[in-house]
């Protein structure tokens, strides 16, 4: 995610975006129907552009679009069905329906990957850990330590290699195998040594003290989270029902038919647009409750009555900010 | 009531032949800010750890250790965690969690503190120490100074009555050290927490300390603070024979004669990262000791790696006449230590360096490790590991020596030993670049000093001139 950009759904408990994105991704995987897939792809692409930025999305598309094209072009060779013959490649016939089915499958894969990438940006490790069950109170600590270990070891491997490389007075570095063995041995010893000190640091702060661990949660589940969750659950249920109808009526072969009524796609359109819309909304500052004033409200009473007391600098300037 | 009391305590590590503490008796009154001084290996860390049963070392303990009037033998881990806090030397190794908020809450979670109370304590501790602006940051993104403040916060949030700190500022630059000590002082005076700090550089803490103890020969004795004031941070000046014709002035005037020169060097980690080095110019003459000073994170270590040719500048160029005969001492000596025994470590590069066991044995003698040849390098203290890694580099007689914080964790005697060794190496014609916060060491060994700021070298002057003109250093 681009630095400094507000986190979408930052004002809601993590369970809300997790439910929305998990539900959307799951339905996207199950609804293999061109209109659903196209809408899902557009929603996922706009969500990715908004939360990950243009550069990161473009880097992803650089391998995702060729993958889409590959699946699209390969499908006629595995499923030579359809009624609209486009061309013949040797003994194989290529039908428009078969190509469309391949394009749908490829687009579905890309859409799902984009949803996952966007979700990984929005649901940071902290927020995901907030969803861990109450009984698994040590899980956040274990995950937290494990997530530090890999980057730390990679960083140390770079330091070890750079140090050895910089010591040219020590002669030849040896073969690749020798270097790998040397580096891995050093990293292992280093990590084991660190783990002894870290274990001491943990025990010094009450780890294994015999008490049942409690859990500090950065986010609290509030009424508005429950309302949002209920709304999303309802929308997901509606989408599932509509998708069931449209997917049941749709046929790729022998001719593409059974697209269903237009209104059946409305809930799905709202669902796939929701993550992107939420990230757009989060970019705009809250509406100023005291337009035209730079003065700070004082106390709850003044908030409810819309009264504010001038700051010292306001008083000096005759009330002007 | 005493906060901490040792009554004729002797302690011998398991497998060791001689005790590290021998009849040590001391008493720290409640509310005191006590300094525990002594040379490397004198038993300061052992003494502190003995007051914390859950991390006390394995060995034979004789005598009685009492914390807040209660024998630590009867203290269960829960009571100990609540009453006595502990801050370790290395801020990296003591970080358990990957975010600031989680690190602060970790101890409280272990104690089973209810969530509501936890929130209150974390909030108050953040306010007290000024952590709020980086409360949601990842620990990996913090500077060294911030990490050590976080370590302090993680201990304070548990509201201990006694706080033990083992060399807490040895890895900080002078400014970060002052900030840390000011916070520690506030915790002592405003919250009434008894503070015991083990250190071998007591000078910066004298303004805050109320009493001091020295560990010598395994025994503790009270030391007047006035006596510690004479323990200057500066080490004895080691005169050299540096020829100024090849020094900084000459190098500045004629870059073509410099042993190593960097011209308009820019470097950043990653395409979107900030510039760590920018418009950096530096030139050091043959046989010159150049100190590079600057705050934590100003790019000193990156500069050494770029000069060594291990990182390629995004712009500018580095000319290194000794590229084929150079050596780099990284901040952590563990990046150099790869063998099973101390003697094998020194012998690893013997073929390229053209030396034998006799020279390695002599080096062991210089390190004061003649009896530890068959020990694993990791069994040495942090300071001894640092000396071992440096000696390993010096044995191959490099023409260019790049040292990153070589005196980190060393006591005064060891720093003087390193200074003498570097001066003799310089006199053999080796160019030495030292990135360090240790101004006493700089005064003793450096011919010139470069101040790094905002990715570049702001000023380079001969050492005496630099300190005479400096307002801060």
């Amino acid at each position: 995610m681009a630095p400094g950009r507000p986190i979408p759904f930052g004002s809601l408990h993590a369970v809300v975006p997790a439910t929305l994105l998990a539900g959307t991704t799951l339905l996207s995987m199950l609804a293999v129907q061109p209109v659903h897939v196209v809408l899902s792809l557009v929603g996922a692409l706009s969500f990715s552009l908004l939360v990950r930025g243009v550069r990161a999305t473009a880097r992803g598309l650089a391998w995702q679009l060729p993958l889409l094209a590959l699946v699209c072009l390969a499908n006629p060779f595995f499923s030579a069905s359809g009624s609209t013959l486009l061309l013949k490649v040797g003994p194989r016939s290529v039908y428009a329906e078969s190509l469309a089915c391949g394009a749908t499958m490829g687009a579905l894969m890309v859409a799902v990957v984009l949803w996952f990438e966007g979700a990984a940006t929005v649901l940071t490790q902290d927020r995901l850990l907030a969803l861990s069950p109450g009984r698994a109170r040590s899980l956040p600590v274990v995950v937290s330590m494990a997530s530090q270990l890999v980057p730390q070891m990679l960083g140390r491997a770079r330091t070890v290699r750079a140090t050895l490389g910089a010591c040219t007075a020590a002669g030849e570095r040896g073969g690749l195998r020798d270097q790998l063995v040397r580096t891995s041995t050093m990293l292992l010893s280093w990590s084991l040594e660190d783990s002894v000190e870290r274990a001491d640091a943990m025990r010094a702060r009450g780890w294994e003290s015999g008490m049942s661990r409690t859990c500090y949660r950065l986010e609290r589940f509030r009424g508005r989270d429950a309302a949002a969750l209920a709304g999303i659950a309802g929308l997901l249920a509606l989408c599932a029902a509509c998708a069931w109808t449209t997917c049941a009526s749709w046929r790729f072969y022998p001719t593409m038919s059974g697209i269903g009524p237009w209104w059946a796609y409305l809930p799905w359109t709202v669902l796939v647009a929701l993550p992107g819309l939420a990230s757009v909304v989060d970019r705009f500052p809250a509406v100023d409750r005291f337009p035209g004033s730079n003065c700070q409200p004082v106390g709850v009473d003044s908030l409810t009555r819309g009264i504010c007391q001038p700051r010292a600098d306001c008083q000096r300037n005759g009330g002007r900010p | 009531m005493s906060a901490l009391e040792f009554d004729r305590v002797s302690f011998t590590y398991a497998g060791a032949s001689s005790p590290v503490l021998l009849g040590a008796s001391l008493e720290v009154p409640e509310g005191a800010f006590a300094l525990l001084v002594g040379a490397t290996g004198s038993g300061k860390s052992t003494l502190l750890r003995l007051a914390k049963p859950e991390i006390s070392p394995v060995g034979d303990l004789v005598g009685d250790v009492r914390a807040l009037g209660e024998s630590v033998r009867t203290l269960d881990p829960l009571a100990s965690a609540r009453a006595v806090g502990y801050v370790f030397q290395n801020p990296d190794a003591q970080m358990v969690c990957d975010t600031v908020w989680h690190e602060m809450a970790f101890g409280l979670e272990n104690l089973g503190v209810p969530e509501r109370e936890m929130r209150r304590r974390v909030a108050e501790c953040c306010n007290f120490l000024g952590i709020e602006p980086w409360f949601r940051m990842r620990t990996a993104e913090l500077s060294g100074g911030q990490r050590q403040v976080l370590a302090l916060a993680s201990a304070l949030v548990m509201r201990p009555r006694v706080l033990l700190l083992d060399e807490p500022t040895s890895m900080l630059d002078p400014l970060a050290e002052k900030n840390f000590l000011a916070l520690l002082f506030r915790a002592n005076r405003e919250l009434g927490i008894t503070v015991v700090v083990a250190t071998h550089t007591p000078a910066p803490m004298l303004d805050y300390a109320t009493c001091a103890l020295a560990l010598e020969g395994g025994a503790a004795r009270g030391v007047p603070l006035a006596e510690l004031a004479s323990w200057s941070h500066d080490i004895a000046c080691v005169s050299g024979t540096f020829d100024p014709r090849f020094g900084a002035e000459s190098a500045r005037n004629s870059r073509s004669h410099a042993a190593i020169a960097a011209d308009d060097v820019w470097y950043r980690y990653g395409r979107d990262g900030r510039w760590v080095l920018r418009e950096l110019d530096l030139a050091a003459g043959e046989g010159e000791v150049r100190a590079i000073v600057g705050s934590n994170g100003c790019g000193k270590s990156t500069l050494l790696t770029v000069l060594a040719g291990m990182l390629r500048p995004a712009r500018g160029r580095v000319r290194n006449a000794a590229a084929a005969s150079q050596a780099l001492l990284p901040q952590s000596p563990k990046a150099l230590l790869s063998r099973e025994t101390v003697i094998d470590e020194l012998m690893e590069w013997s073929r390229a360096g053209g030396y034998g066991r006799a020279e390695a044995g002599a080096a062991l003698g210089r390190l004061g490790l003649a009896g530890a040849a068959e020990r694993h390098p990791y069994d040495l203290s942090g300071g001894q590991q640092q000396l071992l890694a440096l000696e390993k580099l010096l044995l191959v007689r490099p023409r260019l020596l790049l040292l990153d914080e070589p005196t980190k964790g060393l006591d005064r005697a060891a720093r003087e030993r390193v200074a003498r060794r570097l001066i003799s190496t310089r006199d053999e014609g080796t160019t030495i670049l030292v990135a360090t916060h240790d101004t006493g060491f700089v005064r003793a060994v450096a011919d010139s000093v470069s101040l790094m700021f905002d990715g570049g070298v702001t000023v380079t002057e001969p050492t005496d001139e630099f300190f005479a003109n400096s307002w801060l250093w």
Side-chain angles (χ1 to χ4, degrees), chain A residues 14-25 123 131 229 232-233 236 271:
Chain A
V15 73
V16 177
T19 307
L20 174 62
L21 293 168
T24 308
T25 309
L123 296 167
L131 304 175
L229 200 58
I232 288 168
L236 283 170
L271 183 72

Side-chain angles (χ1 to χ4, degrees), chain B residues 249-364:
Chain B
E249 286 303 322
S250 130
R252 275 201 304 276
N253 295 334
S254 174
R255 283 176 181 271
S256 57
H257 291 118
I260 187 160
D263 294 314
D264 191 21
V265 165
W266 294 64
Y267 184 80
R268 62 181 170 186
Y269 294 94
R271 272 171 128 188
D272 302 326
R274 69 175 179 91
W275 290 107
V276 181
L277 304 179
R278 57 166 78 208
E279 289 186 74
L280 185 136
D281 299 311
L282 182 112
E286 198 172 319
E288 177 184 354
V289 180
R290 169 71 59 85
I292 300 164
V293 298
S295 58
N296 278 344
C298 71
K300 299 190 295 293
S301 303
T302 305
L303 171 61
L304 292 188
T305 320
V306 167
L307 292 176
M310 291 299 102
L311 295 175
R312 192 187 177 86
R315 295 180 214 162
R317 61 184 289 216
V318 173
R319 277 174 294 158
N320 183 355
S325 176
Q326 64 180 22
L328 169 71
L329 178 72
Q331 274 205 25
S332 175
K334 291 191 176 90
L336 264 178
L337 305 178
S338 61
R339 298 292 159 145
E340 294 293 313
T341 62
V342 170
I343 188 70
D344 284 352
E345 201 65 67
L346 291 176
M347 289 299 291
E348 186 185 6
W349 295 338
S350 58
R351 190 178 295 173
Y355 61 90
R357 288 191 89 83
E359 287 86 347
L364 278 179

Side-chain angles (χ1 to χ4, degrees), chain B residues 13 33 59 86 102 107 131 136 177 248 326 334 339 413:
Chain B
Y13 275 97
F33 192 120
Y86 199 101
H102 202 187
I131 288 177
R136 287 177 185 252
E177 180 182 31
Q326 64 180 22
K334 291 191 176 90
R339 298 292 159 145

Side-chain angles (χ1 to χ4, degrees), chain A residues 55 59 124-126 129 137 140-141 143-145 147-148 152 156 159-173 182 185-186 189-191 193-194 197-220, chain B residues 49 52 54-55 77-78 81 88 90 92-99 101-103 105-113 115 118-119 122 135-136 138-139 154 158 272 308 310 323-328 330 332 334-338 348-349 352 378 392-393 396 398:
Chain A
R55 190 179 290 181
R59 269 202 300 268
T124 54
Q125 185 185 299
D126 282 358
L129 288 176
R137 288 186 170 140
V141 178
V143 173
S144 190
M145 290 176 77
S147 70
Q148 291 177 79
Q152 188 185 56
R156 285 179 175 174
T159 306
V160 167
R161 282 201 304 269
T163 304
L164 190 61
C167 292
T168 53
E172 293 296 314
R173 289 190 218 174
R182 186 180 190 274
T185 308
M186 288 172 76
S189 311
W190 199 345
S191 297
E193 184 73 5
D194 262 12
E197 196 165 339
R198 188 164 290 119
D200 279 347
M202 291 170 76
R203 279 198 295 269
R205 285 193 278 153
W207 182 259
E208 291 182 332
S209 62
M211 286 294 289
S212 175
R213 291 192 90 233
T214 46
C215 197
Y216 184 101
R217 294 189 188 274
L218 209 53
E219 301 177 340
R220 276 176 281 190
Chain B
R49 281 172 176 259
K52 209 49 194 149
E54 60 273 39
I55 58 166
L78 191 64
F88 293 78
N90 186 350
D92 292 339
Q94 65 189 303
M95 291 291 146
V96 179
C97 303
D98 63 337
T99 51
W101 67 267
H102 202 187
E103 183 68 19
F106 174 75
L108 298 173
E109 290 177 336
N110 293 337
L111 298 185
V113 175
E115 192 176 349
M118 239 191 303
R119 287 182 180 280
V122 168
F135 181 63
R136 287 177 185 252
R138 304 183 81 80
T139 49
S154 306
M158 297 167 78
D272 302 326
M310 291 299 102
S325 176
Q326 64 180 22
L328 169 71
S332 175
K334 291 191 176 90
L336 264 178
L337 305 178
S338 61
E348 186 185 6
W349 295 338
Y378 278 21
K392 182 177 177 178
L393 298 184
V396 295

Side-chain angles (χ1 to χ4, degrees), chain B residues 58 94 125 135 142 213 310 411 413 425 449:
Chain B
V58 178
Q94 65 189 303
C125 193
F135 181 63
L142 302 180
L213 300 147
M310 291 299 102
D411 61 15
T425 305
V449 184

Side-chain angles (χ1 to χ4, degrees), chain B residues 30-101:
Chain B
E30 251 194 310
F33 192 120
L35 302 182
L36 184 63
V37 297
T40 301
S42 61
K44 300 190 294 294
S45 303
T46 307
L47 189 140
L48 289 188
R49 281 172 176 259
L50 286 175
K52 209 49 194 149
E54 60 273 39
I55 58 166
S56 63
V58 178
D60 287 335
L61 174 66
V62 179
D64 197 18
V65 182
R66 284 186 289 276
L68 299 163
E70 195 173 341
S71 173
V72 295
R73 290 176 203 266
T74 61
L75 269 185
D76 61 73
L78 191 64
S80 173
R82 282 179 177 150
V84 183
Y86 199 101
V87 176
F88 293 78
Q89 180 178 9
N90 186 350
D92 292 339
Q94 65 189 303
M95 291 291 146
V96 179
C97 303
D98 63 337
T99 51
V100 172
W101 67 267

